[in-house]
Amino acid sequence: MSKDLFSNIELAGHTLSNRMTMAPMTRNRAPDNIATAMMAEYYAQRAGAGLIITEGAQISEQAVGYPATPGIYTQAQLEGWKQVTDTVHAKGSRIFVQLWHCGRISHPDFHNGDLPVAPSAIKPAGDAFTYEGLKPFVTPRALETSEIPGIVDEYRHAAALAIEAGFDGVEIHAANGYLIDQFVRDGSNQRTDNYGGSLENRTRLLLEIVAAVGGEIGHDKVGVRISPANAFNDMSDSDPQATFNHVTAALSGLGLAYLHVVEVSMTGEADSDFDTGQLRERFDGIYIANGAYDQARAQEAIASSAADMVAFGVPFIANPDLPERFRLNAELNKADQATFYGGDEHGYTDYPPLEA
Ligand code: PHB
C-alpha cells in the first residue's frame, strides 16, 4: 500500500492523522520561564500537524541557556503547560514536550553568576543570548562524575511532570550542541571517566537518561532527537558517521516512540557527506526526518520509506494551517525572521490561515 504525508500512523498508542510533525522551535515568549495562554493559542493553531513537538523546555535551572524559554521542573511551569496540552488535545492533535539542558550554550547571567556546566571545560566559539543582549560564551565548568546521576534524575522528574501536564510523551533533546550532544561528540568531550573517550562512554549519558525517562513514563512515550551533521553551536566530531551509527544502534530495540534526525547543518555551510540512510537502517522504530523539507521532498521521503514522518520548522511558524495548504497545494505565507525570537503575538499567533 502506498503511503503519503496524509496517511495515518500509530505512535505512542495513538493514531496520528497525518505524518507531518511540527518541529521544536525556540520562540522566547515565556516570561518567568512559564508557558502562557498565548503559547497555548499558538500551538492550537498548528494542531493540524499529526504530532507537535514543543520548543525546548528546561529540566532544571542549571539547564537554562536563553531568555524567556519555558521550563518543566516546577509546579507553576506544569500549570502553564496544561493550557497548551488542553488546547492542542481539544483540536485533536498529539503533543510531546522537548526536554532540554543547554549545558555550555548558556551564560553565568542565567545562574546567579555560576558557570554553565559541560562535559569538559571547553569554551564554544560565539555569543550567548542573554537578557542584556549578546555576551561572549565563557569557559564552562566540567561536571563532576558524581553530579551526573542528579542530572539524569532531573530528566526523569521533568518527564513525570510532563505526563502530569497532559503531554502525550517527551522528546529528549540530544541534538544541536546542547548538553547531551556535548557528551556524544568528541569535539566537546575530553573526559577521562566513564562518560568520555570510547563511543560507549560518550553515549552513556544519553542512554542513562533514556532508561530513567522510559522507566518513569514508558519507553513508547519517549522520542530522541539527534543532529549528526550539524556544526551549529561550535560542534564537531572526528568521525560523525561512526558516532551516530553507534548512537542509533544503541537506541534501537528499546521500544522508543521515534528517532528524530536533523539531517542538515544549521550553520549554512556546504552539505556534509553524512549518510542518514545508515541511521534509518539501524533504527527499528519510527524515523522522523527534519531539515529544509518542502512538500515534494517530504512526499518522496514517505513514499520511498526513507522516513516515516517529516518535521517542518519554519513553514509551521508562518503557516498555522500548513497541512491544509499542502493538501490544497495552496500558496505558503513567508516567515518573518525578525519576529522568530521574543516579542508578542506579532509574528507568532497572527499569521493568517487560508480564507475559508
Ligand atoms: C536556537 O535558539 O537557535 C535553537 C534552540 C534549540 C535548538 C536549535 C536552535 O535545538
Side-chain angles (χ1 to χ4, degrees), residues 314-338:
V314 170
F316 256 119
I317 289 181
N319 299 278
D321 51 356
L322 187 66
E324 195 55 21
R325 287 177 193 248
F326 278 3
R327 250 188 220 106
L328 300 171
N329 284 310
E331 253 195 75
L332 301 185
N333 297 326
K334 295 227 173 346
D336 171 21
Q337 293 236 16

Side-chain angles (χ1 to χ4, degrees), residues 26 66 100 173 176 178 232 266 341:
T26 289
Y66 294 85
W100 197 20
H173 191 349
N176 300 344
Y178 299 105
F232 179 67
M266 292 161 56
Y341 302 109

Side-chain angles (χ1 to χ4, degrees), residues 80-256:
W81 283 119
K82 272 187 181 162
Q83 310 169 78
V84 174
T85 60
D86 282 349
T87 56
V88 168
H89 286 153
K91 292 279 205 78
S93 189
R94 297 290 161 189
I95 182 164
F96 276 39
V97 61
Q98 191 192 53
L99 302 185
W100 197 20
H101 191 311
C102 293
R104 68 180 185 170
I105 303 302
S106 185
H107 190 274
D109 280 10
F110 295 114
H111 311 290
N112 299 311
D114 289 345
L115 292 175
V117 300
S120 300
I122 302 171
K123 180 164 77 97
D127 297 309
F129 293 88
T130 77
Y131 284 101
E132 295 166 4
L134 293 177
K135 294 188 182 181
F137 285 126
V138 300
T139 302
R141 176 176 73 77
L143 284 162
E144 301 291 339
T145 308
S146 60
E147 291 176 278
I148 291 180
I151 291 178
V152 172
D153 196 60
E154 284 166 347
Y155 275 92
R156 183 202 56 73
H157 174 249
L161 292 194
I163 296 303
E164 222 183 303
F167 285 106
D168 299 296
V170 305
E171 175 172 283
I172 294 169
H173 191 349
N176 300 344
Y178 299 105
L179 184 72
I180 298 173
D181 200 22
Q182 291 160 28
F183 273 82
V184 168
R185 292 198 249 182
D186 59 13
S188 42
N189 183 345
Q190 297 179 350
R191 297 179 73 89
T192 54
D193 65 1
N194 280 341
Y195 294 89
S198 67
L199 278 173
E200 285 74 14
N201 284 354
R202 284 188 275 132
T203 309
R204 190 177 310 280
L205 176 65
L206 171 60
L207 294 181
E208 288 182 353
I209 291 167
V210 167
V213 169
E216 180 74 30
I217 69 171
H219 284 78
D220 65 324
K221 296 187 184 66
V222 182
V224 175
R225 191 177 206 220
I226 58 174
S227 60
N230 194 358
F232 179 67
N233 281 328
D234 199 22
M235 292 302 287
S236 64
D237 191 80
S238 55
D239 189 350
Q241 195 77 54
T243 296
F244 286 94
N245 283 357
H246 177 90
V247 166
T248 300
L251 293 172
S252 191
L254 301 177
L256 296 179

